[in-house]
Amino acid sequence: MSALPPYATIGQRVWYYAFRVICALIFVFLITPILIIVPLSFNAEPYFTFTSGMLSFDPDAFSLRWYADIFHNGMANPDATEGWWADMWQNSQWVRATKNSFIIGFWATALATSFGTLAAIGLSRSEMPYKGLIMSILISPMIVPLIVTAAGMFYFYSNDFNPFIEGKQALAGSKLGIILAHAALGTPFVIITVTSTLVGFDNSLTRAAANMGAGPTRTFFKVQMPLILPGVISGGLFAFITSFDEVVAVLFLASPEDKTIPRQMWSGIREQISPTILAVATILVIISIALLTVLELLRRRSERLRGLSPS
Amino acid sequence: MTDTGPVLAADGTPLKKKLAQALFVSRARAFSLVLPLLIFIVASFIIPIFSLMVQGVKNDTYSSNMPATTAIMAEWDGASELTEDMFAALVTDLIQARADKSIGRVATRVNREYAGTRSMFTKSARRAAKLEAPFMAAMLDIDEDWGDINVWGAMKVSSQTLSPAFYAAALDADYKADGSFVRLDTEDRIYVYLFVKTLAVALAVTLATLALGYPVAWLLASLPIRQSNLLMILVLLPFWTSLLVRTTAWIAMLQSHGVLNNVFVWLGITSDDSRFSLIYNMTGTIIAMTHILLPFMILPLFSVMKGIPPTYLRAAKSLGATNWTAFWRVYFPGTIPGIGAGALLVFILSIGYYITPALVGGQDGQLISNFIAYHMQKSLNWSLAAALGGILLVIVLAIYWVYDKVVGIDNMKMG
């Protein structure tokens, strides 16, 4: 398959190029929808499609109005010069959604990463009892359909027998409920990435540290942690993305003030379909490109640290 | 060695016991690392889902608000004559329920078992306080349907705190007062069809992602590392892009004045007034879900194909195999673990898909999860939602179990 040998028959040549054309078409299918939103977000008209002006590259057909609308949407007075920043910070729907997304994402990631890393270290020890059973319980948030998870948490967190908070204040409709939900959804990714980093971990290093008089805590932070750090970070990134992208649990658990970016996009698509969503989508695509780069760099660093040949 | 006693450690205890102690300590240490997360997952994830599942078989709306009739219903066989005692109990309950303002919930609960009874309850409760014995005649005077044994049958079913009524309803069956199950009439059956439709969509999406993912994974696995890393970006970028972004993108692509239809009109494939309706129906759901889940198929396929030495194919060909034989008899069997992993992953994910069908599915693209959300949020029939969710969960766990047996969860690879 790789390179075409000089003695290839005509049939082989036809197949070789046909196969590449098929693959190219599939790549087009994969990437076109994501790239198409970038030019569409600069549309001067409130449509989701290319206007004739855009196709003939008329500068007037392009505008940044939808990017401005990201800030203006929900503001009390978007034309004011005085107090514009405070108004934007307080009232703009998308800005509030961004703040919510980051607050929820941060705490959910912190919970998932700290618990998940500890658990992954425990799970990768050979003497861990009931490994299979515990692993499947801990991985289950990834397997159980999101709708069942969200419905269950909504049901449980809005119930009277809620053991966490007394009185009428239920967890449903609060940020804490969403944080708990997202932390649970993120842990499987942390466990999977950290366990796979630990597979290549040389246990004689911890024994050597113990031999030289380091306690378990010191060994963990000075020896083990720096080596598995790339795995922990990429697990944390997965957990953050999971939270950042998750909308079903937010749909069930969030109050109107706790809307996150995807939740805001959801209502954007459902209620007020405008190219503002395309502008937001473009920004999100750029963020995911940045994340992709970070992950790739981490992977290379991890392989270098563990002495594997770079691939 | 003449000493036959057990080998002793330095402090005199048998070595075997000492070893067991040491093992126990290290086990406990490993377990204590896992314990915080285990407690967290059980408390914030397992228990909520379990409590929802319990709600699917347990509903005390009636029994907690209508105690007198509940007691009588437990003895009534569901078929014999209605008695004055039953009516007297009903009047007592109705008065109490009206005072507690719980009559609306009770009426809704019975109405779910027997449609059209809601107003009977609210109407009678309003006048119950003024009624005098004999209650049977008085109640029949308010609404003669109180003499209908089916209404009482519905009350008997509702009065059972633990009942299979909701699971029966989720499988398009009616749970009768005498304990039997009757399949609903053909035109009333929705959920079994919906489950079958959901499974069919999941299967279609799985096959589509396999058909599209296999060649791409093969190309990526066979290209030199530099080129394949570049092309891998085209797979990973959609994988890392927000679900909502991709769904929005497909709306822009597929709507009737969207990019794709405009291209079709421009190419002359269709005319301006007969544009294809590609979105807000099943077609749109399947296209968008295929695109969203395609990376989940490509990544496991790629990592399996990467492990198959390219020399195998060359060896097969040098031994006289045609291209097809070499692929089908040598390469393809090696990729089956990847196909299994990718297919089961995509299948599990698409069975529970909610967002994409809800946004681009329109009327006929709705799947089972959309109905669970509907019953949780709109109709507030939580027990039915729980029953539907319970069945969905059982299906998914069964597939997960197969996945674990065939592939093993430890072998799951991400990006």
Side-chain angles (χ1 to χ4, degrees):
Chain A
M1 160 99 68
S2 44
L4 208 53
Y7 49 82
T9 61
I10 295 178
Q12 279 170 338
R13 274 167 209 277
V14 169
W15 167 243
Y16 177 85
Y17 290 109
F19 182 76
R20 262 139 225 260
V21 169
I22 293 170
C23 285
L25 287 176
I26 299 169
F27 280 122
V28 167
F29 170 75
L30 266 172
I31 208 75
T32 314
I34 292 169
L35 294 186
I36 211 94
I37 55 175
V38 177
L40 277 178
S41 68
F42 295 101
N43 199 340
E45 307 291 329
Y47 304 131
F48 264 45
T49 185
F50 289 103
T51 55
S52 49
M54 291 181 90
L55 292 175
S56 56
F57 295 105
D58 178 5
D60 293 339
F62 294 88
S63 87
L64 287 172
R65 61 183 281 206
W66 306 114
Y67 288 87
D69 192 58
I70 295 176
F71 297 107
H72 292 169
N73 202 335
M75 271 173 75
N77 186 7
D79 300 321
T81 44
E82 207 168 303
W84 190 90
W85 286 103
D87 190 11
M88 189 267 284
W89 190 247
Q90 291 297 324
N91 296 327
S92 171
Q93 287 183 8
W94 287 102
V95 172
R96 188 193 300 156
T98 312
K99 284 191 277 183
N100 285 335
S101 272
F102 276 99
I103 294 171
I104 292 168
F106 173 79
W107 288 111
T109 309
L111 273 176
T113 315
S114 49
F115 285 166
T117 307
L118 279 183
I121 291 171
L123 280 170
S124 58
R125 294 212 173 154
S126 55
E127 61 267 21
M128 179 68 203
Y130 309 112
K131 200 182 274 179
L133 175 72
I134 290 177
M135 188 74 169
S136 36
I137 290 176
L138 298 182
I139 296 290
S140 62
M142 202 163 75
I143 304 300
V144 173
L146 264 180
I147 188 77
V148 176
T149 310
M153 288 184 170
F154 170 68
Y155 171 76
F156 186 69
Y157 290 163
S158 55
N159 246 323
D160 305 334
F161 59 80
N162 179 355
F164 298 111
I165 295 175
E166 281 177 39
K168 291 231 177 287
Q169 171 98 53
L171 275 175
S174 77
K175 277 204 186 65
L176 183 60
I178 309 172
I179 290 172
L180 290 180
H182 283 181
L185 291 173
T187 45
F189 297 101
V190 179
I191 292 182
I192 289 173
T193 47
V194 178
T195 340
S196 70
T197 325
L198 282 167
V199 166
F201 187 78
D202 187 356
N203 261 322
S204 54
L205 290 175
T206 52
R207 264 176 256 134
N211 211 2
M212 292 171 161
T217 327
R218 197 177 159 85
T219 312
F220 175 74
F221 281 107
K222 290 282 176 188
V223 178
Q224 205 166 13
M225 194 65 186
L227 283 170
I228 62 168
L229 197 61
V232 175
I233 293 178
S234 65
L237 263 180
F238 269 109
F240 185 77
I241 286 290
T242 309
S243 162
F244 204 73
D245 196 19
E246 205 285 325
V247 62
V248 185
V250 180
L251 274 173
F252 276 87
L253 293 169
S255 66
E257 293 85 54
D258 292 334
K259 279 185 179 178
T260 58
I261 295 178
R263 175 69 183 77
Q264 188 71 30
M265 290 188 81
W266 166 276
S267 37
I269 296 172
R270 280 237 149 157
E271 291 142 28
Q272 37 164 33
I273 190 149
S274 87
T276 313
I277 324 171
L278 296 179
V280 177
T282 305
I283 296 174
L284 289 179
V285 168
I286 292 168
I287 293 177
S288 41
I289 292 175
L291 277 175
L292 196 61
T293 319
V294 171
L295 265 185
E296 179 62 21
L297 292 178
L298 278 176
R299 196 178 62 83
R300 289 189 186 173
R301 186 184 136 84
S302 155
E303 280 175 357
R304 220 178 30 243
L305 273 180
R306 284 157 56 192
L308 301 174
S309 59
S311 64
Chain B
M1 288 286 273
T2 49
D3 188 5
T4 50
V7 186
L8 297 183
D11 59 353
T13 44
L15 198 56
K16 208 172 177 182
K17 202 174 160 192
K18 202 77 181 162
L19 183 68
Q21 273 173 1
L23 267 179
F24 177 79
V25 169
S26 64
R27 268 198 198 144
R29 202 172 280 159
F31 191 74
S32 68
L33 286 171
V34 180
L35 199 62
L37 183 63
L38 196 61
I39 292 172
F40 175 72
I41 291 291
V42 168
S44 77
F45 181 81
I46 306 279
I47 292 177
I49 289 175
F50 186 74
S51 72
L52 182 71
M53 298 298 115
V54 169
Q55 171 79 23
V57 288
K58 177 173 170 275
N59 191 314
D60 61 354
T61 315
Y62 191 99
S63 56
S64 63
N65 293 309
M66 308 277 275
T69 39
T70 303
I72 282 200
M73 285 298 153
E75 286 156 30
W76 184 52
D77 62 358
S80 56
E81 286 283 300
L82 304 174
T83 63
E84 173 65 20
D85 286 347
M86 292 162 77
F87 279 96
L90 177 62
V91 171
T92 327
D93 278 347
L94 286 176
I95 296 170
Q96 188 57 41
R98 184 166 152 75
D100 296 343
K101 298 198 169 63
S102 61
I103 185 66
R105 274 180 287 143
V106 171
T108 310
R109 173 71 191 94
V110 181
N111 196 54
R112 289 211 169 104
E113 295 303 326
Y114 192 64
T117 50
R118 194 175 199 288
S119 62
M120 283 169 65
F121 276 87
T122 47
K123 179 172 66 182
S124 310
R126 233 176 291 130
R127 287 154 65 175
K130 296 194 193 92
L131 291 182
E132 282 167 22
F135 291 113
M136 192 185 212
M139 289 295 280
L140 286 175
D141 198 34
I142 297 175
D143 196 319
E144 61 185 17
D145 281 344
W146 282 120
D148 185 354
I149 201 148
N150 290 328
V151 173
W152 289 85
M155 284 160 66
K156 182 174 167 63
V157 171
S158 318
S159 72
Q160 295 171 2
T161 309
L162 287 175
S163 95
F166 294 100
Y167 271 91
L171 291 169
D172 290 340
D174 199 3
Y175 177 62
K176 294 286 184 199
D178 58 5
S180 64
F181 296 94
V182 182
R183 259 195 105 181
L184 292 178
D185 299 332
T186 322
E187 66 268 22
D188 293 334
R189 293 177 197 161
I190 8 175
Y191 298 117
V192 172
Y193 167 71
L194 212 58
F195 274 112
V196 173
K197 185 164 104 172
T198 306
L199 289 173
V201 168
L203 192 66
V205 171
T206 310
L207 291 178
T209 50
L210 182 61
L212 297 178
Y214 199 90
V216 167
W218 193 10
L219 181 75
L220 287 173
S222 59
L223 282 176
I225 211 83
R226 229 164 254 285
Q227 293 172 36
S228 80
N229 266 357
L230 267 181
L231 285 177
M232 200 55 163
I233 294 173
L234 299 182
V235 179
L236 289 178
L237 184 59
F239 184 68
W240 279 100
T241 306
S242 160
L243 177 67
L244 265 289
V245 171
R246 285 184 278 169
T247 309
T248 317
W250 278 109
I251 294 176
M253 289 285 282
L254 296 177
Q255 60 178 332
S256 63
H257 283 81
V259 177
L260 215 54
N261 261 317
N262 281 355
V263 170
F264 285 151
V265 170
W266 183 67
L267 288 175
I269 295 174
T270 183
S271 68
D272 200 15
D273 40 74
S274 62
R275 287 160 177 268
F276 299 112
S277 53
L278 296 169
I279 206 163
Y280 306 122
N281 54 28
M282 196 51 113
T283 321
T285 310
I286 291 182
I287 294 178
M289 279 174 71
T290 304
H291 177 256
I292 290 167
L293 294 171
L294 189 49
F296 289 96
M297 179 65 91
I298 295 179
L299 294 175
L301 270 178
F302 171 75
S303 68
V304 167
M305 286 175 174
K306 203 74 202 156
I308 301 176
T311 44
Y312 284 14
L313 268 181
R314 261 182 273 145
K317 281 182 200 165
S318 77
L319 289 170
T322 60
N323 279 334
W324 170 251
T325 321
F327 166 73
W328 186 246
R329 300 280 301 277
V330 176
Y331 194 77
F332 181 77
T335 60
I336 284 177
I339 296 177
L344 280 161
L345 194 58
V346 170
F347 196 79
I348 282 178
L349 286 172
S350 50
I351 273 184
Y353 238 60
Y354 169 65
I355 298 299
T356 310
L359 288 176
V360 305
Q363 281 287 320
D364 72 323
Q366 302 293 307
L367 301 179
I368 196 71
S369 44
N370 304 93
F371 277 79
I372 296 176
Y374 169 78
H375 285 304
M376 277 314 278
Q377 295 182 312
K378 297 277 160 54
S379 82
L380 300 182
N381 192 351
W382 288 5
S383 292
L384 182 56
L388 290 170
I391 296 170
L392 182 66
L393 190 61
V394 167
I395 296 175
V396 169
L397 289 182
I399 298 167
Y400 175 56
W401 184 77
V402 173
Y403 187 102
D404 195 19
K405 287 281 159 222
V406 177
V407 194
I409 37 171
D410 303 350
N411 293 340
M412 197 126 58
K413 283 216 173 99
M414 295 278 132

